[in-house]
Amino acid sequence: MHDFQAILDEVMAAVRPVVGQGRVANYIPALASVDPSRFGMALATVDGDVFGVGDWRMPFSVQSISKVFALALTLSRDGDAIWRRVGKEPSGNPFNSLVQLEYEQGVPRNPFINAGALVMTDRLLSLTGDSRGAVRDFLRAESGNPAVDFDAVVAASEAEHGHRNAALAHFMKSYGNIENPVPLVLEHYFWQCSLSMSCADLARACGFLARHGRTAGGTRLLSRSQAKQVNAVMLTCGTYDAAGEFAYRVGLPCKSGVGGGIIAVIPNRCGLCVWGPGLDSHGNSVAGVEALDRFTTLTGLSVF
Ligand code: GLU
């Protein structure tokens, strides 16, 4: 058995020199004002024990981490049908690139680039009538924290600066790959990105992927095979265009967001979340990558 608390303490001591390095996301003012010296990490076992260090109880903006939950909820309702509208290959391009989408006739490479997440949001909107509400309610239930909520300031700021996302959505609409009105899809997408959660919340919330699709309450959200699919897409596409580097250094399914958070899954064992707002040139948390690298090296826990 691992002493997870001692391991997290050791990881935090080891990454201290890089905490504060990197650039805080500055495309919207609400993210630019986050203190770069923050660092937190949490681990939630499949049995419900939670361990944490640093600022592990402090909420931050989940941003693209929300894409994992939108995918899981869509898959749970729509099954394989969704893969006709979005691919599952790494993009090798920035998360908000338009170029590839034109070459590939409006079908995004994967559900974790913005175009793919917009398709997922669109489909979840059609399936539930309220995509953002479905994602929030799921996160509340899985994290066990009923206070999980949107940040209206972040959502408004995303909308104000969301020209590129609007371009992606309109472009896909022109190919028939968006069902709902573009402004409605964008609104739900921005609200989902604005969700504010702590490392503790997110480590618990990704537990269903460590439990092969079973929720915290024991019901089945995804089949075992679908849970494997989500983990596989996280491994290959979850960390912008640095997924190869992540697989090499960390060896776990991960998803990062420009708020500086990264979730990671160790099947059968636990969900992890690390947060450090300073980002590297790919948009991944500098301290977060280092911490996950240290964690898997110290414990020997990885999918390989
Ligand atoms: N809300 C951000 C956007 O769509 C998400 C960016 C991210 O975390 O990758 O631009």
Side-chain angles (χ1 to χ4, degrees):
M1 265 315 266
H2 293 94
D3 180 346
F4 285 129
Q5 189 58 52
I7 290 163
L8 291 184
D9 289 338
E10 194 176 338
V11 167
M12 180 154 163
V15 303
R16 197 172 289 281
V18 303
V19 172
Q21 286 182 16
R23 284 167 60 104
V24 173
N26 59 4
Y27 70 99
I28 57 171
L31 291 183
S33 63
V34 175
D35 177 358
S37 68
R38 295 289 176 195
F39 176 83
M41 187 166 182
L43 180 154
T45 69
V46 288
D47 305 321
D49 294 324
V50 184
F51 305 89
V53 280
D55 301 311
W56 65 295
R57 290 194 172 97
M58 185 175 287
F60 60 90
S61 192
V62 311
Q63 293 295 319
S64 277
I65 297 174
S66 61
K67 292 172 171 137
V68 171
F69 304 100
L71 168 63
L73 292 176
T74 308
L75 257 185
S76 76
R77 289 165 170 81
D78 223 11
D80 279 351
I82 193 65
W83 298 120
R84 285 199 290 272
R85 293 179 52 189
V86 63
K88 24 178 140 55
E89 296 296 336
S91 73
N93 277 307
F95 65 99
N96 55 6
S97 169
L98 275 151
V99 179
Q100 198 163 47
L101 203 52
E102 176 151 32
Y103 280 124
E104 297 178 0
Q105 277 99 50
V107 176
R109 270 287 168 106
N110 69 66
F112 295 153
I113 52 174
N114 284 11
L118 287 162
V119 169
M120 220 50 62
T121 301
D122 176 53
R123 190 66 196 131
L124 197 54
L125 200 48
S126 298
L127 292 164
T128 63
D130 180 11
S131 174
R132 67 174 204 179
V135 174
R136 181 199 54 196
D137 294 350
F138 178 74
L139 289 171
R140 283 181 176 172
E142 292 305 295
S143 67
N145 179 3
V148 165
D149 219 337
F150 308 110
D151 182 327
V153 175
V154 172
S157 213
E158 297 275 0
E160 197 183 329
H161 298 269
H163 302 298
R164 192 175 280 255
N165 285 315
L168 291 167
H170 279 291
F171 191 68
M172 290 188 291
K173 182 95 179 165
S174 78
Y175 280 99
N177 202 10
I178 292 286
E179 297 162 359
N180 294 281
V182 165
L184 188 66
V185 175
L186 288 170
E187 188 190 327
H188 280 258
Y189 170 77
F190 292 140
W191 281 92
Q192 285 159 203
C193 288
S194 85
L195 279 159
S196 188
M197 295 175 74
S198 67
C199 291
D201 295 332
L202 280 164
R204 282 198 198 95
C206 64
F208 73 100
L209 290 171
R211 289 186 297 268
H212 303 288
R214 281 197 189 280
T215 64
T219 57
R220 186 162 281 292
L221 176 77
L222 300 177
S223 69
R224 205 181 164 93
S225 161
Q226 287 172 326
K228 179 207 71 182
Q229 291 165 359
V230 176
N231 280 323
V233 179
M234 287 170 72
L235 182 78
T236 54
C237 312
T239 45
Y240 306 114
D241 50 348
E245 174 83 6
F246 252 82
Y248 178 89
R249 286 186 62 186
V250 178
L252 292 174
C254 293
K255 180 74 198 91
S256 54
V258 295
I262 309 175
I263 58 170
V265 178
I266 307 182
N268 295 317
R269 300 299 289 263
C270 59
L272 285 158
C273 179
V274 59
W275 174 50
L279 308 177
D280 63 21
S281 58
H282 297 291
N284 295 308
S285 165
V286 173
V289 184
E290 189 66 28
L292 289 168
D293 183 350
R294 294 271 175 170
F295 179 88
T296 52
T297 305
L298 275 172
T299 58
L301 292 172
S302 94
V303 295
F304 299 109

